[in-house]
Amino acid sequence: PYFAAFNDFQKLEDEIKQTFDLQRVIITPGDSDRDHWVKDELGRRAVAFLQANLTKKQTIAVTGGTSMAAVAEVMQPTEKSTDCTFVPARGGLGERVENQANTICAEMANKMKGDYRLLYVPDPLSEETYRSIIEEPGVKETLHMIKQADLVMHGIGDALTMAERRKASSDVLTKLKSGKAISEAFGYYFDQRGQVVHKVRTVGMQLEDLSNIKTVVAVAGGESKAKAIESYLRQGKSTVLITDEGAAEALIKDF
Ligand code: BG6
């Protein structure tokens, strides 16, 4: 049922909310796999959510990706949420610059008339560099802000699509395939049951940090992402899902 009115999704939203033990599910009509405007609409719903839920002086951690870029695109200032600071959730993950968390974070902050901090970390990161970089005062301060974030907003990707987009090595690709990785978020790759198969070594938000954050919002749509969304939500670290009709229907059909 394409182009259904927004409130027609109440039942589907409730069903997904219960199935994945979420606090809130927001579904926008259409399928972003088929129509580009649906992704823009996902962005608008995400911005509306932020506007309704942010208050003054909050810290918002964001990931990269095209869904987050769509959110940044339509970001708008609000009176309620002044003096907010945006931080990237994790360091470099191998994305093109327009899809990087740093870029998206700065754009969101500028549009919201807020502040931002960036993480300049080489990518990929060796164990040795990792250890010394987290001791840098500038990095330390940003890392502290990331862990104290009031709200996290992130994308969910299909595992192999993300690995290829990030030009992962053949060793990593083999590991993902043999571990049957289905989804990716925050640089972590998960299998069907939500178990971590592989993790990109970078600084920033770790999966376990999410449990301390009140509001963790996933923004992901398109029927082709349904399996990835399901796999990621299995480990239950997000509290809100903003998705589209295409993904939502496949998600329920699948379960
Ligand atoms: C990445 C995020 O940048 O974007 C991931 O770090 C996510 O968490 C991915 O999987 C999703 O990308 P897109 O383009 O499908 O929104």
Side-chain angles (χ1 to χ4, degrees), residues 58 63 134 156 219 224 253:
Q58 296 210 298
T63 68
I134 54 173
I156 302 171
V219 183
S224 63
K253 213 184 297 160

Side-chain angles (χ1 to χ4, degrees), residues 7-8 10 14-16 34 36 39 44 55 57 75 83 86 106 124 128 134 137 145 154 163 175 190 192 253-255:
N7 57 8
D8 278 1
Q10 185 77 54
D14 285 345
E15 216 173 319
I16 295 176
R34 288 190 241 176
H36 190 74
K39 208 171 214 173
R44 277 188 204 100
T55 53
K57 295 192 172 152
M75 194 65 115
D83 301 324
F86 288 80
E128 205 188 335
I134 54 173
M145 292 180 73
H154 69 96
K175 187 176 171 192
F190 307 90
Q192 202 190 354
K253 213 184 297 160
D254 239 48
F255 207 77

